């Protein structure tokens, strides 16, 4: 059932939430977002970039900024890893929850705090970076999220500092009866020769109409090393539309891993810019839609400088009526000689009703480059299945084992052992027949 | 042990086995030879339970039970083992995990205790020595990047660990050098015993110098056209199959 929505619903909600109040740079940023969203509205499948992703009832649903809610600490347990050695920031419906969070003594000069606190403290980094990298045109949900930006995480790692403790940002969605909008923001600035690992976990606890639109800006200075993860376990009534914007300077190295398990309609947009010589950007992804879930991955890597390497490595496992999209675009600008770009999207269809649309694309304007791309769509390997069964492994376990083998390759790249184990387990829980493969991890 | 009566089987609507009869006694070693495309692998796959082959007529009794009623894994648990002509590569699943779950599922079926990691490793180390396989292959993905010889020895190694009662070897000797061939044969001979039967499919009489069969059968066009002792293999080596093919179509 859909409710009538006023054409200027989001302008009204914006004013009602008092988002026109605050520091001048911030209200200006929000206004830019509001105007950018108002100019285009929600995308439809008429739009080339949205051809395969229908928003269903979302445009007709009057989402309002979500209120905070209380959650019990035990809710977090399933997603924690190496908890004593990880700094944790917890948000409930987009609002920072200090009681559930725990940040240890930080090295001198390092900032790890909630965006709301950073705004209140007038952190100079914000005006220089927040919203300065993520483009809003072509990203309507990022525009909406920018209009409603209020809280999130700010991490600043100064020159030469290696953060020893990973930062784990946990966003708990606790929908109520009213349709709610959550716009978690991440700004991670890693200065020259610094290092950081950041994990974003999205966790839905209850079902209910929820729209989650995270925008992350990762700025890697010269020779900086950033390891980023986004693990998405939203509930099955949640629309999840994320933008990850990566900006890389000379010789920087950014790895990002997106693991998608939850959500009703999910879209992950990644825009990575290799702006300095010798940069390296690796984007790994796993999406496992089942039931009627839809997961869309929309990637664009811009090679703007010479001698940069990039890798897009996405795997889809689609079961029941699950659908997926992969659009990977590698854009090699004229100065970007000696680019080495690899793109791969492999998919496993476990049911005749599952569907994937995959479109790897290269646009190359430099002449001395090495680019490869490929996509595969396959079914369960019947020969492999029979081989396992003929040796005594029962059909259900054999199936799960093969799906697991296909999926787990993406997780093998995870360097943090406890996180790797957690992600392996997350995959195992999602297998078509959840059998006990725990010994594998 | 195994009784095959009037077996008819087709693949994609094309009849391959056309009334095959074969009885294998406990402890017996039978060899099947025959020209390309005569249906040897089809027989092997039907015995192991591959669903792409449709059995249209006939019966298979294994230890008195109806084999065709059983799922592939059930057959394995009952002691059937097929060494594949083309062992499958399975990226992402280690040999050791696979073999351990296979072994434990068979043990469970038989009402035996499952082996823990230590016991399993001990057993596996011992068996690997007999087939001279590098222990490192255990932690590699199943058959992935293995040489042809390694794949075949891996089949024999798995057979040694699972200790089947009815082992079917589909051209396990093809493409092996003489050293690898000896290792494979040794693996089989070590398992020979009064309670264990073998069906050895081969193109080459050479293997039968190392695994000496009790009976040799010739399969032509989906039927066994001749059976004899081990001398029959030598005769085939000499004369080829054409004289039997003519007899079969006559
Ligand atoms: N999927 C299939 N579709 C159609 N025909 C098939 C299929 N698989 C096998 N066949 C045919 O069935 C017949 C028997 O094949 P089979 O593999 O059993 O022979 P084989 O005796 O093992 O031969 P080889 O000595 O070459 O291994 C052949 O004529 C083959 O072409
Ligand atoms: Mg064959």
């Amino acid at each position: 059932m859909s409710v009538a929505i006023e054409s200027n619903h989001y302008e009204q909600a914006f004013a009602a939430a008092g988002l026109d109040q605050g520091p001048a740079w911030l209200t200006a940023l929000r206004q830019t977002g509001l105007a950018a969203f108002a100019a285009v509205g929600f995308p439809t499948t008429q739009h080339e970039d949205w051809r395969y992703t229908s928003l269903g009832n979302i445009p007709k649903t009057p989402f309002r900024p979500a209120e905070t809610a209380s959650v019990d600490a035990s809710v977090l347990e399933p997603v924690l890893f190496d908890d004593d050695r990880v700094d944790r920031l917890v948000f409930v419906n987009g609002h920072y929850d200090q009681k559930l969070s725990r940040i240890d003594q930080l090295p001198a000069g390092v900032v790890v705090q909630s965006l709301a606190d950073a705004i209140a403290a007038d952190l100079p980094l914000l005006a220089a970076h927040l919203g300065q990298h993520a483009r809003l045109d072509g990203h309507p949900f990022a525009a909406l999220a920018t209009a409603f930006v209020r809280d999130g995480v700010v991490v600043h790692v100064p020159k030469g500092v290696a953060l020893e403790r990973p930062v784990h940002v946990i966003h708990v969605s606790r929908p109520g009866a009213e349709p709610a909008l959550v716009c978690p923001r991440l700004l991670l600035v890693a200065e020259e020769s610094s290092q950081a690992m950041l994990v974003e976990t999205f966790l839905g606890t209850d079902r209910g109409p929820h729209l989650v639109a995270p925008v992350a800006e990762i700025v890697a200075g010269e020779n900086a090393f950033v390891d980023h993860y986004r693990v998405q376990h939203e509930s099955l009534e949640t629309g999840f539309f994320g933008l990850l914007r990566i900006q890389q300077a000379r010789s920087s190295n950014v790895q990002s891993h997106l693991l998608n398990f939850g959500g009703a309609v999910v879209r992950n947009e990644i825009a990575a810019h290799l702006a300095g010589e010798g940069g390296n950007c690796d984007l790994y992804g796993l999406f496992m839609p089942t039931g009627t879930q839809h997961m869309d991955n929309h990637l664009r890597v811009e090679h703007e400088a010479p001698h940069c390497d990039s890798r897009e490595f996405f795997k889809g496992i689609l079961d029941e009526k699950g659908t997926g999209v992969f659009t990977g675009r590698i854009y090699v600008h004229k100065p970007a000689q000696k680019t080495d770009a690899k793109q791969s999207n492999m998919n496993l269809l476990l049911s005749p009703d599952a569907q994937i649309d995959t479109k790897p694309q290269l646009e190359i304007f430099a002449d001395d480059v090495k680019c490869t791309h490929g996509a595969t769509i396959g079914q369960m390997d019947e020969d492999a299945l029979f081989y396992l069964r003929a040796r005594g492994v029962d059909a259900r376990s054999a199936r799960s084992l093969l799906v697991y083998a296909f999926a787990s390759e993406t997780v093998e790249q995870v360097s943090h052992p406890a996180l790797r184990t957690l992600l392996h387990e997350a995959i195992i829980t999602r297998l078509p027949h959840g059998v006990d493969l725990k010994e594998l991890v | 042990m195994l009784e095959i009566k009037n077996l008819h089987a087709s693949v994609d609507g094309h009849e391959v086995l056309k009334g095959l009869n074969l009885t294998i006694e406990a402890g017996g070693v039978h060899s099947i030879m025959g020209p390309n495309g005569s249906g040897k692998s089809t027989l092997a796959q039907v015995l192991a339970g591959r669903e792409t082959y449709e059995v249209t007529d006939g019966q298979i009794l294994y230890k008195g039970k109806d084999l065709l009623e059983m799922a592939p894994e059930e057959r394995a648990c009952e002691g059937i083992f097929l060494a594949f002509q083309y062992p499958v590569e399975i990226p992402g699943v280690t040999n050791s995990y696979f073999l351990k779950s296979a072994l434990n599922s068979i043990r469970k079926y038989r009402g035996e205790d499952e082996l823990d990691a230590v016991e399993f490793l001990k057993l596996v180390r011992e068996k690997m020595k007999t087939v001279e396989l590098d222990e490192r292959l255990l932690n590699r993905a199943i058959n992935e990047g293995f040489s042809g010889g390694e794949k075949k020895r891996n089949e024999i190694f798995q057979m040694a660990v699972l200790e089947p009662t009815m082992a079917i070897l589909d051209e396990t000797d093809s493409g092996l050098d003489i050293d690898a061939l000896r290792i494979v044969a040794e693996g089989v001979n070590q398992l020979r015993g009064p309670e264990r039967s073998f069906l050895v499919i081969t193109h080459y009489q050479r293997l039968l110098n190392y695994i000496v069969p009790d009976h040799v059968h010739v399969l032509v066009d989906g039927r066994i056209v001749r059976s004899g002792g081990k001398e029959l293999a030598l005769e085939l080596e000499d004369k080829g199959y054409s004289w039997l093919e003519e007899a079969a179509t006559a």
Side-chain angles (χ1 to χ4, degrees):
Chain A
M1 186 202 71
S2 65
V3 194
I5 182 167
E6 309 226 12
S7 63
N8 63 347
H9 168 78
Y10 288 99
E11 280 91 336
Q12 286 179 26
F14 182 85
L19 291 162
D20 44 3
Q21 312 293 310
W25 65 266
L26 180 60
T27 51
L29 178 67
R30 287 175 181 152
Q31 293 287 358
T32 312
L34 193 64
F37 178 73
V40 293
F42 287 105
T44 69
T45 50
Q46 305 294 309
H47 192 296
E48 178 58 26
D49 278 351
W50 290 82
R51 248 177 82 190
Y52 301 109
T53 297
S54 157
L55 298 181
N57 277 333
I58 291 172
K60 288 181 276 172
T61 307
F63 292 99
R64 290 197 172 75
E67 304 288 331
T68 190
S70 75
V71 296
D72 194 79
S74 63
V75 162
L76 308 177
E77 255 155 44
V79 298
L80 299 179
F81 64 94
D82 202 15
D83 198 39
D84 297 336
R85 285 185 289 266
V86 172
D87 286 327
R88 185 211 307 159
L89 293 92
V90 179
F91 294 77
V92 179
N93 288 346
H95 299 268
Y96 186 51
D97 188 321
Q98 190 157 16
K99 281 212 265 343
L100 294 176
S101 305
R102 199 200 48 215
I103 303 170
D104 211 55
Q105 184 74 44
L106 294 165
V110 172
V111 173
V112 176
Q113 68 179 168
S114 78
L115 175 61
D117 289 346
I119 292 169
D122 215 2
L123 189 74
L125 186 81
L126 297 184
H129 286 289
L130 194 75
Q132 301 309 303
H133 305 280
R135 277 176 59 171
L136 303 182
D137 56 316
H139 301 284
F141 283 94
L144 185 66
T146 300
F148 287 87
V149 61
R150 185 144 48 181
D151 210 346
V153 174
V154 181
V155 176
H156 184 205
V157 192
K159 182 173 169 178
V161 175
L163 267 193
E164 244 170 68
R165 297 163 67 89
V167 176
H168 190 186
V169 181
I170 305 174
H171 289 284
V172 183
S173 284
R174 184 121 202 245
E178 295 301 313
L181 171 67
V182 183
C183 306
R185 195 86 189 189
L186 168 67
L187 174 64
L188 166 59
V189 180
E191 305 281 2
E192 186 184 320
S193 301
S194 67
Q195 186 171 334
M197 170 175 166
L198 187 139
V199 182
E200 297 178 273
T201 299
F202 292 83
L203 182 63
T205 57
D206 303 86
R207 292 180 70 147
H210 230 56
L211 181 59
V212 180
V215 176
E217 288 168 292
I218 293 177
V219 186
E222 273 196 29
N223 203 35
F225 190 98
V226 176
D227 204 5
H228 169 259
Y229 301 83
R230 180 176 281 176
V231 188
Q232 192 268 103
H233 295 287
E234 293 285 0
S235 86
L236 292 176
E237 278 177 50
T238 296
F240 185 95
F241 299 84
L243 171 64
L244 169 62
R245 172 70 171 84
I246 299 169
Q247 180 67 27
Q248 292 191 235
R250 190 179 192 283
S251 303
S252 62
N253 190 333
V254 175
Q255 319 253 324
S256 181
H257 310 248
L258 269 65
L259 294 113
N260 287 281
F261 302 109
V265 183
V266 175
R267 171 138 156 150
N268 286 295
E269 295 171 353
I270 306 181
H273 290 244
L274 288 150
E277 268 193 55
N280 182 83
C281 179
D282 293 337
L283 307 173
Y284 298 98
L286 176 67
F287 50 105
M288 298 179 72
T290 182
T292 56
Q293 287 178 297
H294 176 78
M295 297 182 179
D296 179 349
N297 305 280
H298 198 85
L299 282 59
R300 188 178 172 100
V301 175
E302 306 263 358
H303 280 264
E304 296 165 356
H307 291 285
C308 292
D309 296 349
S310 73
R311 187 169 150 84
E312 292 172 17
F313 186 77
F314 271 61
K315 281 192 164 184
I317 297 172
L318 305 100
D319 202 357
E320 300 184 352
K321 292 187 172 135
T323 50
V325 184
F326 175 85
T327 312
R329 200 168 287 151
I330 296 173
Y331 197 99
V332 183
H333 295 254
K334 202 154 184 220
Q337 300 296 355
K338 305 285 181 193
T339 286
D340 186 346
K342 292 192 183 72
Q343 188 183 59
S344 142
N345 170 228
M346 290 164 78
N347 301 288
L348 184 58
L349 295 181
L350 297 178
S351 121
D353 296 324
Q355 195 184 323
I356 175 81
D357 289 287
T358 176
K359 206 160 87 180
Q361 291 175 311
L362 299 172
E363 284 175 72
I364 304 173
F365 296 94
D367 44 36
D368 184 11
V369 302
K370 214 164 80 193
C371 294
T372 60
H373 66 154
T376 59
I377 302 172
Q379 273 91 32
M380 180 69 78
D381 181 346
E382 292 295 331
D383 291 334
L385 198 59
F386 179 63
Y387 188 76
L388 297 174
R389 293 179 69 190
R391 294 288 137 91
V393 181
D394 69 87
R396 278 170 40 137
S397 305
R399 249 168 213 287
S400 291
L401 194 56
L402 291 175
V403 177
Y404 172 78
F406 179 81
S408 64
E409 205 192 336
T410 38
V411 175
E412 285 307 309
Q413 317 294 331
V414 176
S415 52
H416 192 290
L419 179 62
R420 189 169 59 234
T421 302
L422 184 77
L423 296 178
H424 273 298
E425 285 169 1
I427 292 172
I428 287 169
T429 339
R430 289 283 298 190
L431 292 177
H433 316 280
V435 293
D436 187 20
L437 298 175
K438 290 270 151 58
E439 268 182 64
L440 280 169
V441 300
Chain B
M1 177 73 67
L2 188 71
E3 236 181 302
I4 305 172
K5 292 182 207 157
N6 188 33
L7 183 65
H8 289 255
S10 6
V11 55
D12 290 338
H14 165 79
E15 184 166 62
V16 180
L17 298 181
K18 303 171 180 173
L20 185 141
N21 295 290
L22 178 66
T23 302
I24 299 179
E25 71 287 5
V29 175
H30 290 237
S31 174
I32 287 196
M33 301 181 81
N36 288 328
S38 57
K40 303 183 297 296
S41 292
T42 302
L43 173 63
Q45 299 271 327
V46 166
L47 288 173
R50 183 80 204 235
E51 281 131 0
T52 42
Y53 297 88
E54 196 198 345
V55 175
T56 52
D57 200 4
Q59 198 188 22
I60 306 178
L61 290 178
Y62 170 65
K63 295 183 192 165
K65 293 180 196 166
D66 184 354
L67 189 72
L68 295 173
E69 281 297 300
M70 299 181 204
E73 55 269 34
E74 232 180 309
R75 299 180 194 203
C77 291
E78 286 282 351
I80 299 260
F81 179 94
L82 168 63
F84 284 57
Q85 181 173 4
Y86 304 108
V88 183
E89 296 194 14
I90 309 182
V93 183
T94 62
N95 251 324
S96 75
Y97 180 83
F98 160 52
L99 193 52
K100 183 157 173 257
S101 36
L103 178 64
N104 277 336
S105 117
I106 292 173
R107 290 181 67 97
K108 211 160 110 188
Y109 184 89
R110 293 186 192 145
E112 298 166 3
D113 282 341
E114 296 186 30
L115 294 189
D116 66 24
V118 178
E119 295 163 327
F120 174 73
L121 202 64
K122 187 167 168 282
L123 171 73
V124 147
R125 286 217 165 110
E126 201 181 289
K127 303 285 186 184
M128 279 194 111
K129 274 198 211 103
T130 65
V131 290
E132 296 180 27
L133 263 185
D134 189 334
E135 234 179 76
R136 278 173 300 190
L137 293 185
L138 264 185
N139 294 318
R140 294 240 312 259
I142 302 168
N143 294 323
E144 195 186 32
F146 286 29
S147 70
E150 281 172 337
K151 281 182 187 166
K152 296 295 178 81
R153 274 183 286 155
N154 196 23
E155 296 289 283
I156 296 303
F157 159 62
Q158 293 181 30
M159 181 180 79
V161 171
L162 300 178
E163 298 187 324
T165 43
M166 174 77 243
I168 303 141
L169 278 62
D170 191 358
E171 291 202 35
T172 304
D173 59 319
S174 292
L176 293 188
D177 63 37
I178 197 75
D179 292 330
L181 183 72
R182 272 201 201 102
I183 292 167
V184 162
E186 186 54 24
V188 172
N189 289 331
Q190 278 181 9
L191 280 181
R192 277 179 91 150
E195 289 311 314
R196 199 165 279 139
S197 309
F198 288 87
L199 181 60
V200 181
I201 296 170
T202 182
H203 269 274
Y204 309 105
Q205 186 274 333
R206 184 181 70 158
L207 174 71
L208 305 180
N209 293 334
Y210 297 93
I211 304 173
V212 181
D214 303 310
H215 303 275
V216 174
H217 310 277
V218 184
L219 183 63
V220 174
D221 193 27
R223 269 185 225 114
I224 288 179
V225 297
R226 185 76 145 226
S227 297
K230 57 177 188 283
E231 332 71 53
L232 180 56
L234 289 167
E235 199 178 344
L236 291 168
E237 184 90 334
D238 242 23
K239 300 208 242 168
Y241 295 110
S242 47
W243 59 289
L244 289 169
E245 280 171 349
E246 280 155 26
T249 49

